[in-house]
Amino acid sequence: MKSEPEDVSIDDLAAAPGQTVPWTGVRNYQARNFMRDAMRIGDLAFFYHSGCAEPGIAGICEVCSEPYPDATQFVAVDPYFDPKSSPDKPRWWLRDVRFVGKSRYIPLAELRAHPELAGMRLLARGNRLSITPVTPEEWTFITQLMERQ
């Protein structure tokens, strides 16, 4: 799950009330569908900092709610406002995530350096999705990387 650190960083999540935040602002149908339809309460996700000088994995979060409409789509002054969406027919959904832990920072360049991750969707050229699935093998490999100092 990608977030720009100036919007919500892993440290912001750790400091949030209940260490939980709503994952707002997803405005790509495929990413929305992954979050709305494929995620389940209790699923773990990598918390990835994007849109910064050195993008990378900063920690782990846990899905802790069922999907519900993203209220930012209805607020005309919000950057994520969607005039084609309405409360009776929302287009954009979110889930709440909870802080699990901060890890050593694993930069994008380090992830790309491992042939074991060559097929990872996050690393696909041109990928702009803020939410992508991770295979069990990728999860295991990356969590082992997190433990290395």
Side-chain angles (χ1 to χ4, degrees):
M1 299 181 80
K2 290 182 184 179
S3 178
E4 295 184 5
E6 63 270 5
D7 290 338
V8 177
S9 70
I10 191 74
D11 293 327
D12 294 333
L13 178 58
Q19 295 186 311
T20 302
V21 298
W23 204 266
T24 61
V26 172
R27 294 298 184 269
N28 173 284
Y29 288 107
Q30 190 174 15
R32 178 210 58 194
N33 293 348
F34 288 143
M35 186 168 50
R36 184 191 65 192
D37 304 334
M39 289 181 166
R40 300 290 176 257
I41 292 175
D43 284 352
L44 297 177
F46 293 118
F47 194 109
Y48 184 92
H49 285 176
S50 67
C52 54
E54 187 173 42
I57 295 173
I60 295 176
C61 59
E62 175 186 13
V63 175
C64 63
S65 77
E66 293 295 338
Y68 62 96
D70 181 342
T72 63
Q73 68 192 304
F74 310 124
V75 181
V77 296
D78 194 281
Y80 295 110
F81 174 64
D82 182 348
K84 295 181 181 176
S85 193
S86 65
D88 59 321
K89 285 190 144 187
R91 292 169 63 173
W92 306 108
W93 296 75
L94 61 76
R95 287 186 184 253
D96 294 339
V97 297
R98 180 178 300 120
F99 178 79
V100 171
K102 189 173 175 176
S103 69
R104 81 171 180 87
Y105 200 75
I106 304 176
L108 177 61
E110 182 179 346
L111 294 170
R112 287 195 188 285
H114 294 284
E116 297 88 345
L117 300 175
M120 189 174 188
R121 291 178 92 159
L122 170 72
L123 304 180
R125 294 286 175 207
N127 175 56
R128 306 239 346 122
L129 293 179
S130 59
I131 297 174
T132 56
V134 175
T135 68
E137 295 79 17
E138 293 163 348
W139 182 269
T140 299
F141 187 83
I142 293 170
T143 54
Q144 290 170 351
L145 281 180
M146 289 175 154
E147 295 169 5
R148 295 182 195 168
Q149 296 302 322

